[in-house]
Amino acid sequence: MNIGDVAERSGLPAKTIRYYEDIGLIRPHRSANGYRCFVESDLHKLAFLARARALGFSIEDCRTLVGLYEDESRASADVKDLAQQHLRKIDAKISDLEAMRNTLSELVECCAGDDRPDCPILRGLAT
Amino acid sequence: MNIGDVAERSGLPAKTIRYYEDIGLIRPHRSANGYRCFVESDLHKLAFLARARALGFSIEDCRTLVGLYEDESRASADVKDLAQQHLRKIDAKISDLEAMRNTLSELVECCAGDDRPDCPILRGLAT
DNA sequence: CTTGACCTTCTAGTTACTGGAAGGCTCAAA
DNA sequence: TTTGAGCCTTCCAGTAACTAGAAGGTCAAG
């Protein structure tokens, strides 16, 4: 398979796949013409990476997850720990965003939104 | 005021204040010795920026907001539009994060988290 | 033999800072 | 008067995870 095929089948842009090779997440073989030559297991790994990234895991977390995935003697506790840490980060981000949303939506609701200059949003920011 | 004073009073690191000058958000005067020399209005603007950033507005949004703030003939509708757009982005981010959290916490709950290799989290990612 | 769709590498840009190096200024103590 | 601490300055590089674009090689079809 060439990069275009795995891009389509994994849902990852070709650029991203090349980047993942650059940083050592995958190691596809090369054909005689220099093209990357992917086998099924490369595709499988890329799909794994795509899903882990979609769940918000960082690239370094993904590297660890792939390592655990390929380690037949892993302890599921290690995977769970990583996932729980990530879950806590997600929760923290959600809290931050909700705090922002609450403050901002209060200000927005107070704003007439007409052609006059008086604006509670700006007043709130300037306070 | 020197940069250390405004840093303390605005809550922004000195590095960040220098950066804001670099990108043209503020234009403090200089003393004879080359030190930046801040007046109250600079401090006020920095505090405004700090609050806008804390609400998640991008630097470019902040630039626009400062412009509106300083424009006595602004229409509050312009401010409100900007804020509402930002609110929608925040809501979208929260939705994304909640989707991640839901999927991930389901997987986490299914995982024994012991020393055995069998792991529903990895299976979920590999599917 | 050319055309178009692939593929390659390389450089640089994105966001909003942050860390660190190398060096100048200021003020108080010895 | 010198010295030292603690400010300040600029400039360069690094962060995360790509993404855009340029310049050029390869391949299959017509």
Side-chain angles (χ1 to χ4, degrees):
Chain A
M1 268 180 290
N2 283 344
I3 200 167
D5 305 315
V6 268
E8 193 175 353
R9 292 179 60 187
S10 68
L12 291 169
K15 287 261 183 195
T16 300
I17 296 171
R18 288 192 197 101
Y19 172 68
Y20 286 176
E21 184 186 15
D22 268 4
I23 62 173
L25 275 181
I26 51 167
R27 301 193 180 286
H29 289 123
R30 296 293 176 130
S31 307
N33 59 13
Y35 287 16
R36 288 170 187 81
C37 164
F38 298 83
V39 294
E40 283 299 322
S41 66
D42 294 319
L43 176 59
H44 194 240
K45 197 157 154 184
L46 285 168
F48 181 99
L49 288 167
R51 277 183 218 102
R53 292 287 300 131
L55 287 181
F57 285 103
S58 72
I59 289 285
E60 286 317 303
D61 280 352
C62 288
R63 203 187 291 278
T64 305
L65 285 170
V66 167
L68 288 165
Y69 182 62
E70 291 176 340
D71 175 9
E72 299 284 320
S73 71
R74 68 186 162 253
S76 68
D78 291 341
V79 184
K80 190 169 183 174
D81 282 354
L82 191 58
Q84 278 175 327
Q85 276 179 36
H86 182 46
L87 216 38
R88 282 193 289 276
K89 277 186 217 153
I90 290 176
D91 283 336
K93 274 190 201 166
I94 291 175
S95 299
D96 286 355
L97 286 169
E98 281 178 344
M100 286 179 194
R101 187 186 55 184
N102 292 342
T103 304
L104 191 55
S105 66
E106 264 179 47
L107 292 173
V108 164
E109 273 167 36
C110 296
C111 178
D114 54 22
D115 56 358
R116 288 171 303 173
D118 177 55
C119 179
I121 301 170
L122 293 177
R123 276 208 307 278
L125 290 169
T127 303
Chain B
M1 270 180 288
N2 282 344
I3 200 167
D5 305 315
V6 267
E8 193 174 354
R9 291 178 63 187
S10 67
L12 291 170
K15 283 262 184 194
T16 300
I17 296 171
R18 289 193 196 100
Y19 172 68
Y20 285 176
E21 185 187 14
D22 268 4
I23 61 173
L25 275 180
I26 53 167
R27 303 194 179 284
H29 288 123
R30 297 290 176 131
S31 307
N33 59 12
Y35 288 15
R36 289 171 187 80
C37 165
F38 297 84
V39 296
E40 284 299 323
S41 66
D42 293 319
L43 176 58
H44 195 241
K45 197 155 154 184
L46 284 168
F48 180 99
L49 288 167
R51 278 186 218 99
R53 292 288 299 130
L55 287 181
F57 284 103
S58 71
I59 290 284
E60 285 317 303
D61 280 352
C62 287
R63 201 188 293 278
T64 305
L65 284 169
V66 167
L68 287 165
Y69 183 61
E70 291 176 340
D71 174 8
E72 300 284 321
S73 70
R74 69 185 161 255
S76 69
D78 291 341
V79 184
K80 191 170 184 176
D81 282 354
L82 191 58
Q84 278 176 326
Q85 276 178 36
H86 181 48
L87 214 39
R88 281 193 291 275
K89 278 186 216 151
I90 290 176
D91 282 336
K93 275 190 202 167
I94 291 175
S95 300
D96 287 354
L97 286 168
E98 282 178 343
M100 286 179 194
R101 188 186 56 186
N102 292 342
T103 304
L104 191 56
S105 67
E106 264 180 46
L107 291 173
V108 163
E109 272 167 35
C110 296
C111 179
D114 55 21
D115 56 359
R116 287 172 303 173
D118 177 55
C119 178
I121 301 169
L122 294 178
R123 276 208 307 278
L125 289 170
T127 305

